[in-house]
Amino acid sequence: MKRALITGITGQDGRHLAEFLVGKDYQVFGLIRGQNNPKALLVQEENPALELVGGDLQDLSSLIAAVEQVQPDEVYNLGAISFVQLSFKQPELTADITGLGVLRMLEAIRVVGGTQNNPIRFYQASSSEMFGKVRETPQTESTPFHPRSPYGVAKVFGHYTTVNYREAYGLHASSGICFNHEGPRRGLEFVTRKVTNGVARIKLGLQSTISLGNLDSSRDWGYAGDYVAAMWLMLQQPEPDDYVIATGETHTNRELLDAAARCAGFDDWEPLVTRDPRFERPAEVDLLVGDAKKLQEKLGWQPKVGFEELVRIMYEHDLVEEAARAS
Ligand code: GDP
């Protein structure tokens, strides 16, 4: 039985990946921080096969202890301060967890090592936010980075640290440059979930408007469940490498609103949206669209869920959840 250690186990991707790996007969361990972390119960209820191990991306000795205890075949580093807007308010914390956390996890793997025949394989969740003010469209593995937020800057550090540990120490360390990926488990602070949840609540008469910032930015939105399969595929290869994980389609927030309004049977979303500068960022990423040709051609990965279906899955989930909460 293969053993996997996942950081960020309580987040959207950690939950999807844990489910995916249990389905592949892995013994799955999730790193959990803090005392009485309220999310621990949620993830254990959702996935009883999951085992939790204490540790914190801000604390190297706790990571060494976790890797020693678990003796993983594979480590997936999904833990991060992942909300761009928060990263502007807490840049130092973001640099520490999202950036230095990668270095600490790689150090723990380097120190503990694994066996010569079975070295620990490492996946780093890199981000399309590293492209920021994009230098070319679509973005590929060789597009230069120009991050536009403390989050993007920290992810660039994590990305290059992963490349460096691969080159310097021969670690099987791979980096997946993930474009935005969403689903019903996405936090309500992200624009997709804020919109599908808001439209569902409007449909149910629970609120009248949604407050949003910039409606003109455009993102390559995929389904998180599809993306964790790509992460796993990357670690099954004989050689570590970097891959873009993306759908190759981009949509503006206006198109997101169009799609969500269609799900609810509303002709026009304009009266339902108010603009609030508090949701605008000091520096914006205007357009992201990834080219995942390398992942498709070398690893045979294809996204299964398209944009309209993704929005529908999220809207329908939110409708049921909000109706249940209100009753
Ligand atoms: P990001 O790509 O990681 O920043 O994902 P988000 O879902 O947080 O934001 C996607 C885009 O939507 C960004 O360009 C935001 O500026 C824009 N946006 C507009 N209004 C909102 C809002 O109310 N909340 C969030 N999160 N983003 C918004």
Side-chain angles (χ1 to χ4, degrees):
M1 209 180 193
K2 274 198 185 174
R3 300 158 75 83
L5 175 63
I6 302 174
T7 74
I9 192 65
T10 61
Q12 167 186 254
D13 294 1
R15 290 162 64 192
H16 275 289
L17 181 64
E19 246 168 40
F20 177 87
L21 293 177
V22 167
K24 293 218 168 281
D25 261 349
Y26 276 63
Q27 193 170 1
V28 182
F29 298 83
L31 192 80
I32 193 110
R33 83 183 140 120
Q35 267 178 292
N36 297 323
N37 186 327
K39 288 186 181 164
L41 202 59
L42 170 82
V43 291
Q44 292 242 261
E45 271 173 14
E46 184 177 76
N47 188 346
L50 175 69
E51 288 186 46
L52 296 178
V53 181
D56 194 318
L57 285 171
Q58 289 180 288
D59 181 348
L60 174 61
S61 57
S62 77
L63 299 180
I64 292 174
V67 174
E68 260 171 354
Q69 181 191 332
V70 171
Q71 295 289 322
D73 298 281
E74 297 169 7
V75 173
Y76 295 86
N77 186 43
L78 313 183
I81 299 287
S82 64
F83 185 37
V84 170
Q85 190 153 16
L86 178 67
S87 81
F88 283 106
K89 300 203 171 91
Q90 296 194 279
E92 190 180 341
L93 182 73
T94 304
D96 196 10
I97 297 177
T98 307
L100 275 174
V102 186
L103 175 84
R104 294 190 191 102
M105 190 41 108
L106 283 162
E107 266 300 288
I109 291 171
R110 188 178 74 80
V111 169
V112 178
T115 61
Q116 202 166 19
N117 292 336
N118 191 22
I120 300 169
R121 297 185 173 201
F122 176 78
Y123 172 85
Q124 168 57 15
S126 283
S127 166
S128 56
E129 289 290 317
M130 300 189 304
F131 297 123
K133 194 169 167 62
V134 298
R135 305 282 182 85
E136 61 181 4
T137 295
Q139 294 87 51
T140 72
E141 293 79 7
S142 53
T143 301
F145 299 140
H146 186 150
R148 293 273 278 173
S149 62
Y151 169 77
V153 173
K155 282 287 183 186
V156 171
F157 176 85
H159 180 79
Y160 280 131
T161 302
T162 304
V163 174
N164 180 242
Y165 271 61
R166 178 165 78 215
E167 294 174 353
Y169 304 114
L171 290 194
H172 193 296
S174 296
S175 166
I177 306 175
C178 277
F179 282 64
N180 298 50
H181 45 289
E182 318 292 315
R185 292 168 174 171
R186 194 55 144 153
L188 286 165
E189 66 275 29
F190 290 86
V191 78
T192 49
R193 187 82 199 288
K194 188 169 171 182
V195 165
T196 59
N197 181 267
V199 171
R201 286 177 58 83
I202 292 169
K203 182 75 179 174
L204 293 166
L206 298 172
Q207 75 184 52
S208 49
T209 55
I210 311 170
S211 296
L212 294 171
N214 175 16
L215 299 185
D216 297 314
S217 55
S218 194
R219 292 289 182 274
D220 181 333
W221 280 301
Y223 174 53
D226 289 341
Y227 284 37
V228 298
M231 298 172 189
W232 173 78
L233 268 178
M234 287 170 56
L235 294 205
Q236 309 319 302
Q237 304 312 305
E239 296 301 326
D241 206 346
D242 304 324
Y243 297 88
V244 159
I245 312 178
T247 71
E249 252 187 54
T250 192
H251 295 275
T252 62
N253 279 333
R254 290 176 193 281
E255 289 171 309
L256 169 67
L257 285 158
D258 285 339
R262 266 194 298 281
C263 292
F266 297 140
D267 294 335
D268 183 9
W269 52 261
E270 298 270 0
L272 311 178
V273 170
T274 57
R275 301 293 292 277
D276 187 334
R278 281 180 307 164
F279 295 113
E280 286 171 13
R281 280 118 194 235
E284 179 62 284
V285 173
D286 296 322
L287 170 107
L288 291 173
V289 56
D291 177 353
K293 201 187 296 153
K294 181 174 167 184
L295 184 63
Q296 290 169 357
E297 289 180 357
K298 280 183 74 176
L299 275 55
W301 177 84
Q302 283 290 345
K304 296 193 182 87
V305 178
F307 175 70
E308 289 283 334
E309 191 188 348
L310 173 64
V311 176
R312 181 162 292 281
I313 291 170
M314 293 174 71
Y315 169 77
E316 281 172 2
H317 166 93
D318 285 333
L319 195 64
V320 171
E321 191 177 81
E322 289 295 337
R325 194 172 289 150
S327 69

